[in-house]
Amino acid sequence: MRGDLHLHSAYSDGSATVIELIQKSVSKGLTHIAITDHDRVPRCGDIPPVTALKVMPGIEISAYDFQKQRKAHILGYAMRDTRSVTAFCRPLLERRQANSLRQIALLAEHGFRIRPQNFVKRAGHVIYKQHLMEYLVATEQVEEMFGTFYHETFKNGGYCDFDIEYLDAAAAVRVITEAGGLAVLAHPGQQQNLELVPELVGYGLKGIELEHRKNTEADKEAIRQMAGQYGLFLTGGSDYHGTLEDGSSELGSCLATENALRIIFNKALSQQMVDF
């Protein structure tokens, strides 16, 4: 069993389509994957049947602990009824879309040839800043995806450097749990938020992502201790975005434990998923 439980497709901020993710996973000898787009559960109909690979529609909810002022991305797996999760995330997607449209308007004001119609087919209903950069590079208005322009415009106080309000972390864990799923804290080493685990366990948190490129060895030791203390299982994934993330890891570079794969996929087999 070889599984990568943290993949992003072109439906959010990944460069690969669902079919391309499946093809890449099969070529790397994986047996299990989860497609965990930001704040959106892939429809079952979007995932073609595959014999050599078990594919799970999951989610990564962009969340925040407003008391402790910590970001906390929450992965969701094996959700039986995704309609409540979809409804919970909809306001965030609407804010993200409005945010990107504002960035497009500002780029146009600064002389770039860019408009919302350029992204209807590529990004579906929601546009990310990565899509804006991809378009600017493709149309030769900017030289590279994550070079000087990106850091001066979308980061470090640039004129497109503003973000959206995330969803409440505890509520994100709760909505995944109430949907029959398994909630997992993603890459705590990246966001340094292990202190949130005791409270999130009370809302149904079941696991922590151990294998992730942003978790240091010290982070992993702390994760193992926290998981042992609260009886949580450990997952892993590459957090693959393809060309749409600076320094994105290779698909299959971080793998989940066999124990996590059994827990998550056996849970999925035990209940019929309700598509939204």
Side-chain angles (χ1 to χ4, degrees):
M1 299 174 71
R2 301 182 70 248
D4 187 332
L5 298 183
H6 196 159
L7 303 176
H8 295 277
S9 81
Y11 281 118
S12 67
D13 57 346
S15 61
T17 65
V18 170
I19 292 175
E20 288 169 341
L21 287 179
I22 290 171
Q23 292 171 338
K24 289 175 181 288
S25 299
V26 171
S27 70
K28 290 182 177 292
L30 299 184
T31 59
H32 300 72
I33 64 170
I35 300 173
T36 54
D37 284 328
H38 285 289
D39 313 308
R40 181 189 187 279
V41 185
R43 291 178 63 89
C44 291
D46 295 335
I47 301 175
V50 187
T51 56
L53 183 71
K54 289 182 171 61
V55 184
M56 174 175 291
I59 195 169
E60 182 178 12
I61 298 180
S62 308
Y64 194 76
D65 186 300
F66 292 93
Q67 280 193 328
K68 295 184 173 65
Q69 297 185 333
R70 294 279 189 184
K71 285 185 177 181
H73 288 188
I74 308 298
L75 293 160
Y77 302 107
M79 293 167 286
R80 181 182 60 81
D81 188 345
T82 63
R83 292 171 294 188
S84 59
V85 180
T86 298
F88 175 74
C89 292
R90 187 174 295 116
L92 176 58
L93 293 177
E94 291 171 352
R95 291 196 289 272
R96 190 181 296 280
Q97 180 75 353
N99 189 68
S100 294
L101 293 176
R102 180 184 170 195
Q103 290 172 327
I104 289 172
L106 287 168
L107 288 166
E109 288 178 11
H110 282 76
F112 291 93
R113 303 183 308 278
I114 188 169
R115 55 182 185 159
Q117 291 88 333
N118 300 132
F119 305 94
V120 173
K121 292 183 180 179
R122 177 64 177 86
H125 297 296
V126 179
I127 304 169
Y128 289 72
K129 64 177 178 286
Q130 290 91 336
H131 298 134
L132 308 187
M133 285 300 307
E134 183 183 43
Y135 177 78
L136 292 173
V137 172
T139 55
E140 299 183 344
Q141 299 182 71
V142 173
E143 289 187 1
E144 55 184 330
M145 278 286 292
F146 301 107
T148 301
F149 174 80
Y150 174 78
H151 290 286
E152 290 183 351
T153 305
F154 290 93
K155 302 288 184 182
N156 304 307
Y159 59 83
C160 285
D161 183 13
F162 44 85
D163 213 336
I164 57 177
E165 181 178 303
Y166 282 2
L167 299 165
D168 179 72
V173 171
R174 184 174 61 241
V175 74
I176 291 169
T177 302
E178 291 177 350
L182 299 167
V184 171
L185 180 65
H187 44 62
Q190 180 178 1
Q191 296 170 332
Q192 292 298 303
N193 56 13
L194 269 181
E195 64 185 279
L196 306 182
V197 167
E199 179 183 0
L200 294 179
V201 166
Y203 291 93
L205 188 74
K206 291 294 188 291
I208 308 177
E209 189 172 47
L210 173 69
E211 295 300 332
H212 186 280
R213 63 190 174 90
K214 292 293 181 70
N215 290 338
T216 66
E217 289 305 315
D219 292 328
K220 290 179 182 181
E221 180 58 31
I223 290 167
R224 292 188 186 96
Q225 291 181 5
M226 187 71 75
Q229 182 177 352
Y230 290 95
L232 306 175
F233 64 83
L234 299 171
T235 70
S238 62
D239 200 357
Y240 179 74
H241 290 77
T243 60
L244 295 191
E245 182 176 272
D246 192 8
S248 179
S249 61
E250 283 295 317
L251 189 153
S253 59
C254 293
L255 300 178
T257 64
E258 289 195 9
N259 180 57
L261 293 175
R262 291 191 180 93
I263 290 172
I264 291 171
F265 282 84
N266 286 343
K267 173 83 169 179
L269 286 173
S270 70
Q271 54 192 4
Q272 185 66 38
M273 182 176 177
V274 179
D275 211 353
F276 59 91

